[in-house]
Amino acid sequence: MLKVNQNYLKLPGSYLFSDIAKKVKGYKEEHQGQEVISLGIGDVTRPLTPTIIKALHDAVDDMADIERFHGYGPDLGYAFLREKIAEFDFKRRGCEVSADEIFVSDGAKSDSGNIQEIFAETCSIAVSDPVYPVYVDSNVMAGRTGTYDPASTRWSDVVYMPCTKDNDFVPDLPSKTPDIIYICSPNNPTGKALTRDQLQSFVDYALKNRSVILFDAAYEAYISDENVPHSIYECEGARDCAIEMRSFSKNAGFTGVRLGYTVVPKNLCDAEGNSLYALWSRRHGTKFNGASYIQQRAGEAVYTTEGQREIAGLVFYYMENARTIRNGLTSAGFTVYGGVNAPYIWLKTPDNMSSWEFFDYLLHKAQVVGTPGSGFGPSGEGYFRLTAFGSHKNTRNAVERIVSLA
């Protein structure tokens, strides 16, 4: 008799962003002609830059030429991209990462959801709270999270590391020793970035307790504070306890192109000496045929002189939006966090509204869409995420609409 994986049935409700999309669709159908401004989903809105567009066109031309055509690529990704990543993203920051420790993929989301497959079902996990929901959901699917309590919105077997205003949204070390620790810095959704000392404390903890850190650095391009590391491998000992995931989506606008990578150091092992590098390599080669040659040539263009200049312009554009949101809402009396080293603003909901109540309030009263904080974990209740990925015009208009309600 056919039966589905029972772990999937444990997932509560539907996916956060699907819920948002349904509410917005319903509102638009009921209020035809009203303009709705979305500052909810973290999707970029600026076009790909000229250098990247040229690289895409050139790669397509290669595919039309019998001499330059490319079929399946190497398992880890093309050397021309991995070598650029190793040089620009790591060696220039003093990090010891070699090109053959880099696994090119179609994005950090898939890697962060898939990496848990190489660990035993009995492994325990710790997550910053609030945090990107894929981390917990993918472990629910793997059977690691225990039972769900709708009242507290917590999983019984997950170690939560609350990030609140009381600890300046910096997670304390886990209250119970986990096998796997998820860290996202700069954090989605709070926008908080860990300092070098704060991140080093997690590395030291993981080394002492034989835990592994899964470090999501998808927003590292937005870091402006010199005391905030762009990579966990800037911390001493991280090669012995950490796996890092990166994305081209938010720095270079590849949300529609799809490209990312994961770094697994060759010396990283489990308690019995099994190589995590070898296991991820086997999983990567078995279940994934690689990002296309065209995508990877576009990724290579990011590391050219012109490419670096252009994507710095993209980051600056979005951070101007972050300043507009942060300054506008702060001036209007809202309590606002984030928006400094990350393109996310973490807003305290006014008048003791729940995060979904505030979502409905903004949608119906101001025609502005954000993301309810409760969707990111128990400590997200009472907060609301706004993104800086809109146009300057829409961002200004959205802030004006929200301020008019204050």
Side-chain angles (χ1 to χ4, degrees):
M1 180 183 296
L2 176 66
K3 295 187 69 175
V4 300
N5 185 332
Q6 297 297 299
N7 292 326
Y8 279 68
L9 301 181
K10 295 179 182 178
L11 290 165
S14 57
Y15 186 53
L16 170 64
F17 296 105
S18 298
D19 290 340
I20 292 172
K22 289 175 184 176
K23 280 180 171 282
V24 174
K25 180 182 178 184
Y27 179 86
K28 287 181 175 180
E29 289 175 349
E30 186 178 345
H31 301 82
Q32 299 269 339
Q34 279 200 346
E35 180 197 28
V36 175
I37 300 175
S38 177
L39 300 182
I41 297 176
D43 192 4
V44 297
T45 55
R46 304 301 296 165
L48 295 173
T49 67
T51 298
I52 292 167
I53 290 293
K54 183 179 185 304
L56 287 166
H57 283 297
D58 290 347
V60 170
D61 290 341
D62 286 348
M63 300 298 277
D65 187 294
I66 189 66
E67 299 296 332
R68 303 197 304 272
F69 174 80
H70 287 77
Y72 292 126
D75 278 355
L76 271 66
Y78 287 98
F80 61 73
L81 176 57
R82 290 185 290 108
E83 288 169 359
K84 287 288 194 301
I85 290 170
E87 174 64 28
F88 279 79
D89 291 346
F90 297 104
K91 290 179 183 176
R92 292 191 179 190
R93 297 193 180 279
C95 304
E96 183 188 347
V97 172
S98 63
D100 59 356
E101 293 177 316
I102 296 165
F103 295 80
V104 177
S105 70
D106 60 355
K109 179 178 182 177
S110 56
D111 282 357
S112 63
N114 293 330
I115 193 72
Q116 52 79 23
E117 289 186 22
I118 66 174
F119 302 108
E121 185 177 325
T122 55
C123 285
S124 58
I125 70 165
V127 295
S128 299
D129 170 34
V131 80
Y132 188 42
V134 168
Y135 308 153
V136 174
D137 286 0
S138 59
N139 278 279
V140 173
M141 296 172 182
R144 294 193 186 93
T145 51
T147 56
Y148 182 72
D149 177 16
S152 66
T153 65
R154 291 173 177 267
W155 293 92
S156 61
D157 293 346
V158 173
V159 180
Y160 291 93
M161 300 181 290
C163 302
T164 68
K165 64 181 179 65
D166 294 332
N167 60 7
D168 194 26
F169 300 98
V170 175
D172 295 324
L173 294 173
S175 58
K176 178 182 177 183
T177 303
D179 299 301
I180 303 166
I181 303 170
Y182 284 86
I183 297 176
C184 179
S185 179
N187 181 270
N188 175 14
T190 66
K192 185 67 178 182
L194 301 186
T195 66
R196 198 172 309 279
D197 288 345
Q198 288 165 347
L199 188 55
Q200 183 68 58
S201 70
F202 274 92
V203 170
D204 294 342
Y205 176 91
L207 290 170
K208 178 181 177 181
N209 293 282
R210 300 301 301 272
S211 304
V212 66
I213 297 172
L214 301 183
F215 185 72
D216 187 343
Y219 301 96
E220 61 80 28
Y222 292 85
I223 294 170
S224 57
D225 189 337
E226 292 184 359
N227 194 34
V228 173
H230 290 248
S231 167
I232 197 168
Y233 300 118
E234 295 178 48
C235 294
E236 185 178 355
R239 283 184 55 85
D240 294 318
C241 68
I243 292 171
E244 180 165 310
M245 292 157 284
R246 294 273 192 111
S247 170
F248 288 81
S249 287
K250 306 304 166 64
N251 64 339
F254 277 33
T255 54
V257 176
R258 308 308 305 145
L259 191 67
Y261 65 86
T262 290
V263 176
V264 184
K266 287 187 175 181
N267 56 305
L268 188 56
C269 298
D270 74 351
E272 297 178 351
N274 295 304
S275 167
L276 302 188
Y277 175 91
L279 294 176
W280 182 243
S281 181
R282 179 61 185 270
R283 192 271 172 204
H284 196 73
T286 300
K287 293 190 175 184
F288 183 61
N289 266 339
S292 74
Y293 170 78
I294 297 169
Q295 292 166 286
Q296 294 190 54
R297 280 298 185 192
E300 178 191 30
V302 168
Y303 297 102
T304 64
T305 300
E306 280 301 299
Q308 289 286 290
R309 181 185 63 79
E310 290 167 358
I311 67 168
L314 289 178
V315 170
F316 182 80
Y317 183 94
Y318 293 129
M319 289 309 292
E320 281 190 314
N321 285 341
R323 285 187 287 274
T324 296
I325 299 170
R326 182 184 175 96
N327 293 341
L329 297 186
T330 299
S331 297
F334 288 92
T335 302
V336 180
Y337 306 93
V340 177
N341 288 299
Y344 292 120
I345 284 74
W346 193 232
L347 173 68
K348 185 77 178 74
T349 59
D351 302 324
N352 293 317
M353 288 187 191
S354 73
S355 55
W356 274 107
E357 287 172 343
F358 189 62
F359 174 91
D360 291 333
Y361 178 72
L362 279 191
L363 177 59
H364 287 268
K365 297 295 185 181
Q367 293 75 54
V368 173
V369 176
T371 308
S374 61
F376 296 98
S379 293
E381 184 54 89
Y383 289 88
F384 201 74
R385 191 193 74 174
L386 296 171
T387 82
F389 287 119
S391 67
H392 283 342
K393 178 182 176 182
N394 282 347
T395 300
R396 287 193 299 268
N397 288 344
V399 170
E400 288 172 3
R401 292 182 185 187
I402 297 171
V403 168
S404 70
L405 301 175

